[in-house]
Amino acid sequence: MTLGAIGAFWIAESIWGHTRPIFAATSALISLGFGASTTVRKTAEVALGCTLGVALGDTLMHWFGQGIWQAALVMSLSLVVARYLDSGTIFSTQLGMQSALVVLLPISVDGPFARSIDALTGSLLALLVIVFWPTDPRRTPVAALSELFKELSEAILECSWAIRDDDRRSAFHALIKARGTQKHLDQLPGAFSVSKEIATISPAGRRHRHELNRLSERFNHYDWTARNLRVFARRLASVLSNGALTPQGAQALAPLLREVSEAANSLSHSVREQTVAGQRKYEKAAVLQLENAAAQLDPQALGVEGLQGEGLVLLLRPMIVDLLEAAGRNHDEAIEALPKLS
């Protein structure tokens, strides 16, 4: 933001020869803005609003002169034009504000449309900064995805403790934690969209395109894993309340869930890895843990008896399939890891 604003001011002053080109600095500063969601589209929208606002103010002032009623007329017309061109709040606000400032501030000594050129300079420089010096496109989606897997791991581990200790309150606590993952799931689609846009147009971010596409294509499996875990935790609380899990079944299920929890934690580490080799290493570890857990998911083999207990084991099967697909296995490979039920 600093380089964009000062750079635009320097270009307008030193190259264009304009006196105190404040609109060059302000348009660059406003266009770049704060926030991780700054994208080329958003920057272009703000930049266009700033430039059109200054140009419209210059044009109307050239026709009507300067004064209070002229400022009111310019602002009204600017807002009408802004809403006609784009209903976005940011675009409309910038266009109206910039055109009003042009009319209210003293006339430029550099000519009637010098400030329009200044605004265009700042806006174009802001776009160049976004394209050639972007933020890391992986940062936001990777942080959300890593937190998602971390919280899923913790919730699954609490389910394991609930079975080990025959404690339905721990199962309810796991359910609450599993429900809390929704905030990360809600954040992911928008984060992936912004990141893929930056990775597509920015030379520096282009190397992350395949990774971002790979992770975003698995979004449904992240979502389904979280949903299946909520169903499992809610059913677990009911099963423990009714004392429907045999000691032998509990002794087999608790370590199995610990292994699934470790696999989810491995996936959390995987998405944070900077190198493809590191990501593959953690994904491979997660797949081995999940396939080992999946191979045990037969109620009879686990010593789980009764309709409620067997139903609990069956609820784990789709969750582990989705986790395997989230780790890179295709659907047929994930299904193959499950034992056939008699």
Side-chain angles (χ1 to χ4, degrees):
M1 288 171 68
T2 301
L3 289 175
I6 300 305
F9 188 93
W10 179 85
I11 291 171
E13 185 178 50
S14 301
I15 298 178
W16 309 146
H18 293 171
T19 305
R20 293 189 295 276
I22 189 65
F23 282 94
T26 56
S27 62
L29 196 64
I30 294 169
S31 298
L32 288 169
F34 280 107
S37 61
T38 300
T39 64
V40 172
R41 179 186 176 90
K42 182 178 176 182
T43 303
E45 186 180 73
V46 177
L48 185 62
C50 289
T51 304
L52 284 181
V54 175
L56 185 61
D58 271 336
T59 302
L60 293 176
M61 187 180 68
H62 183 69
W63 288 346
F64 301 118
Q66 250 186 331
I68 294 297
W69 72 268
Q70 289 94 335
L73 177 64
V74 168
M75 182 173 289
S76 299
L77 288 174
S78 299
L79 293 174
V80 170
V81 170
R83 294 307 254 181
Y84 177 77
L85 292 176
D86 187 342
S87 59
T89 305
I90 296 174
F91 179 84
S92 304
T93 303
Q94 291 306 323
L95 199 153
M97 181 179 70
Q98 296 296 334
S99 59
L101 284 175
V102 168
V103 179
L104 292 172
L105 290 173
I107 298 174
S108 173
V109 298
D110 301 308
F113 294 100
R115 289 183 289 199
S116 300
I117 297 172
D118 293 342
L120 182 61
T121 300
S123 298
L124 290 176
L125 190 59
L127 286 171
L128 289 174
V129 169
I130 286 292
V131 170
F132 292 103
W133 193 8
T135 57
D136 183 355
R138 297 175 69 254
R139 182 184 303 165
T140 303
V142 160
L145 194 52
S146 179
E147 284 301 311
L148 171 65
F149 281 127
K150 181 182 176 184
E151 291 185 16
L152 287 174
S153 173
E154 291 171 354
I156 295 169
L157 186 60
E158 290 206 40
C159 288
S160 172
W161 293 341
I163 293 173
R164 180 195 65 189
D165 301 333
D166 192 20
D167 184 2
R168 65 185 182 91
R169 289 177 299 179
S170 293
F172 278 120
H173 194 269
L175 174 60
I176 293 169
K177 184 174 283 292
R179 285 173 174 167
T181 60
Q182 190 61 44
K183 61 181 181 292
H184 302 304
L185 289 166
D186 292 341
Q187 184 183 2
L188 279 172
F192 276 127
S193 177
V194 169
S195 297
K196 287 194 287 185
E197 177 188 321
I198 294 173
T200 299
I201 64 165
S202 169
R206 201 160 294 165
R207 58 195 172 92
H208 297 300
R209 281 183 301 171
H210 296 302
E211 179 187 353
L212 290 168
N213 287 331
R214 175 169 55 85
L215 293 176
S216 65
E217 286 168 1
R218 300 175 186 175
F219 172 77
N220 283 338
H221 301 298
Y222 311 146
D223 187 24
W224 295 336
T225 298
R227 293 176 187 273
N228 286 327
L229 178 56
R230 292 168 204 158
V231 173
F232 176 81
R234 185 165 57 246
R235 173 56 58 187
L236 177 60
S238 175
V239 168
L240 294 177
S241 296
N242 296 327
L245 194 61
T246 62
Q248 183 183 354
Q251 191 173 6
L253 269 179
L256 186 150
L257 284 172
R258 279 201 304 274
E259 190 163 17
V260 176
S261 171
E262 289 171 5
N265 194 46
S266 294
L267 290 176
S268 176
H269 287 298
S270 170
V271 296
R272 283 195 177 275
E273 278 290 315
Q274 295 293 322
T275 64
V276 174
Q279 294 163 14
R280 300 296 186 194
K281 181 186 76 172
Y282 280 109
E283 282 185 358
K284 184 177 179 181
V287 166
L288 290 174
Q289 291 166 321
L290 289 168
E291 287 181 341
N292 183 57
Q296 303 175 55
L297 290 179
D298 182 340
Q300 292 182 357
L302 288 170
V304 177
E305 300 174 355
L307 186 61
Q308 291 191 57
E310 290 177 358
L312 192 65
V313 175
L314 295 180
L315 286 174
L316 278 175
R317 290 169 69 98
M319 186 181 81
I320 291 186
V321 166
D322 283 318
L323 274 173
L324 278 167
E325 293 189 63
R329 284 288 190 260
N330 63 44
H331 184 69
D332 291 336
E333 291 172 334
I335 290 291
E336 191 67 26
L338 296 171
K340 305 297 182 185
L341 297 178
S342 56

